[in-house]
């Protein structure tokens, strides 16, 4: 319980004390949006690294060399914890926006930082809004901003390795030309969600798979790309379960 309280106190203090930084970032954005985005990424990454340290989380990273650093990519990952975002965001080599659920819009200050980092917010009940969100993220990818999506659509609270994918999100890679990076995350649920409200010292494994370029695929292969990514995530998850 002590670790949980320490993390909550830090997060609240960071959000409140960062108000002047948000104001400064807002002003900077008028003159140079790119500098605003990069400085916001640095600030949030620092905060996430502190949360990781305070939570007692150690991380083993495999295959990080598979992530291109010279172009935007579409990260496609499994999802079991809020810590999936915290732990993977600190490893992105360039500006990256995460697709989050609209419920995150209710958290003031946090949502301001998310918007600074090109995060978008999906209303799963609004198909029209979902299409607009996909088009917006395709545009981000074309601009050189990476995008991270968890196609299960929600945190997996079951014994299954993966929930069914919402395949439409992978269209972003096909329409933008960005490579897909399978991102397999093991054991984040054990940090917090498996025993709320306790935060427990945990070892997490993150593995980045080799890039998948849809432009090199046949029409039939493109139809099956979601199944291919799911298979990679499932096999990698089971393989790395022995490491945690």
């Amino acid at each position: 319980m002590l670790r949980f309280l320490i993390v909550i106190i830090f997060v609240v203090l960071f959000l409140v004390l960062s108000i002047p930084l948000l104001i400064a970032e807002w002003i900077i954005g008028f003159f140079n949006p790119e500098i605003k985005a990069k400085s916001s990424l640095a600030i949030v990454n620092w905060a996430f690294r502190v949360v990781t340290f305070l939570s007692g989380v150690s991380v083993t990273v495999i295959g990080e060399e598979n992530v291109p650093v010279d172009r935007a990519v579409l990260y496609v990952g499994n999802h079991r914890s809020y810590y999936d975002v915290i732990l993977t965001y600190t490893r992105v080599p360039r500006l990256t926006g995460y697709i989050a659920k609209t419920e995150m819009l209710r958290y003031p200050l946090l949502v301001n930082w998310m918007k600074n980092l090109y995060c978008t917010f999906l209303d799963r009940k609004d198909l029209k809004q979902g299409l607009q969100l996909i088009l917006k993220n395709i545009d981000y990818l074309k601009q050189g901003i990476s995008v991270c999506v968890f196609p299960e659509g929600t945190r997996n609270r079951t014994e299954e390795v993966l929930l069914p994918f919402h395949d439409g999100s992978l269209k972003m890679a096909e329409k933008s030309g960005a490579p897909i990076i399978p991102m397999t995350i093991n054991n984040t649920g054990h940090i917090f969600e498996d025993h709320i409200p306790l935060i427990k010292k945990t070892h997490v494994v993150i593995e980045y798979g080799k890039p998948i370029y849809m432009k090199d695929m046949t029409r039939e292969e493109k139809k099956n790309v979601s199944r291919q990514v799911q298979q990679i995530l499932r096999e990698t998850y089971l393989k790395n379960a022995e490491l945690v």
Side-chain angles (χ1 to χ4, degrees):
M1 182 62 74
L2 179 59
R3 188 175 281 122
F4 171 78
L5 293 175
I6 291 173
V7 170
I8 289 298
I9 290 171
F10 171 78
V11 171
V12 171
L13 286 176
F14 168 76
L15 291 174
V16 173
L17 296 177
S18 69
I19 292 175
L21 291 176
L22 281 171
I23 296 172
E25 296 285 72
W26 179 72
I27 295 172
I28 291 170
F30 275 107
F31 302 98
N32 196 320
E34 184 177 355
I35 290 179
K36 171 189 173 182
K38 289 182 177 179
S39 58
S40 291
L41 179 62
I43 292 167
V44 171
N45 274 349
W46 172 82
F48 282 172
R49 286 193 293 270
V50 174
V51 169
T52 301
F53 172 77
L54 295 176
S55 300
V57 177
S58 61
V59 183
T60 295
V61 181
I62 302 170
E64 201 161 19
E65 69 279 2
N66 290 325
V67 182
V69 297
D70 60 345
R71 63 178 303 172
V73 304
L74 177 66
Y75 297 96
V76 179
N78 61 306
H79 192 29
R80 289 184 174 267
S81 170
Y82 288 117
Y83 276 85
D84 296 335
V85 177
I86 294 171
L87 299 179
T88 58
Y89 224 133
T90 59
R91 312 211 69 86
V92 296
R94 60 189 302 117
L95 291 175
T96 303
Y98 279 52
I99 297 179
K101 56 187 179 181
T102 52
E103 287 84 348
M104 297 302 295
L105 292 169
R106 70 180 66 161
Y107 300 112
L109 301 179
L110 175 61
V111 71
N112 296 90
W113 284 112
M114 293 177 73
K115 289 179 178 179
N116 282 359
L117 296 173
Y118 297 97
C119 292
T120 51
F121 303 88
L122 175 64
D123 183 349
R124 287 167 289 187
K125 299 178 182 178
D126 188 338
L127 294 178
K128 183 177 179 180
Q129 187 268 354
L131 177 59
Q132 293 173 341
L133 179 140
I134 287 175
L135 294 174
K136 185 174 186 177
N137 280 287
I138 289 172
D139 186 51
Y140 282 164
L141 288 164
K142 289 181 177 179
Q143 292 178 44
I145 300 165
S146 293
V147 174
C148 180
V149 62
F150 300 108
E152 292 170 284
T154 187
R155 284 181 290 116
N156 184 354
R157 300 175 178 87
T158 73
E159 295 298 322
E160 298 294 328
V161 174
L162 290 172
L163 297 176
F165 269 24
H166 296 273
D167 296 341
S169 58
L170 300 187
K171 289 288 184 182
M172 292 184 288
E174 180 180 2
K175 300 300 183 182
S176 67
I180 296 171
I181 301 294
M183 184 175 69
T184 310
I185 310 166
N186 280 70
N187 212 34
T188 46
H190 185 68
I191 302 171
F192 178 60
E193 281 79 3
D194 291 349
H195 36 68
I196 294 173
L198 300 178
I199 291 178
K200 292 189 176 182
K201 188 175 182 180
T202 303
H203 177 228
V204 170
V205 178
I206 301 172
E207 179 163 347
Y208 298 95
K210 294 182 179 179
I212 299 172
Y213 293 89
M214 292 187 70
K215 63 181 178 64
D216 298 330
M217 293 181 172
T218 65
R219 181 177 298 180
E220 189 63 28
E221 287 172 333
K222 289 178 181 178
K223 289 181 180 179
N224 293 320
V225 68
S226 177
R227 187 180 304 171
Q228 177 186 352
V229 174
Q230 289 181 64
Q231 182 177 351
I232 292 171
L233 294 179
R234 183 175 289 106
E235 291 177 353
T236 306
Y237 186 90
L238 292 173
K239 171 179 69 73
N240 290 342
E242 301 177 357
L243 302 178
V244 297

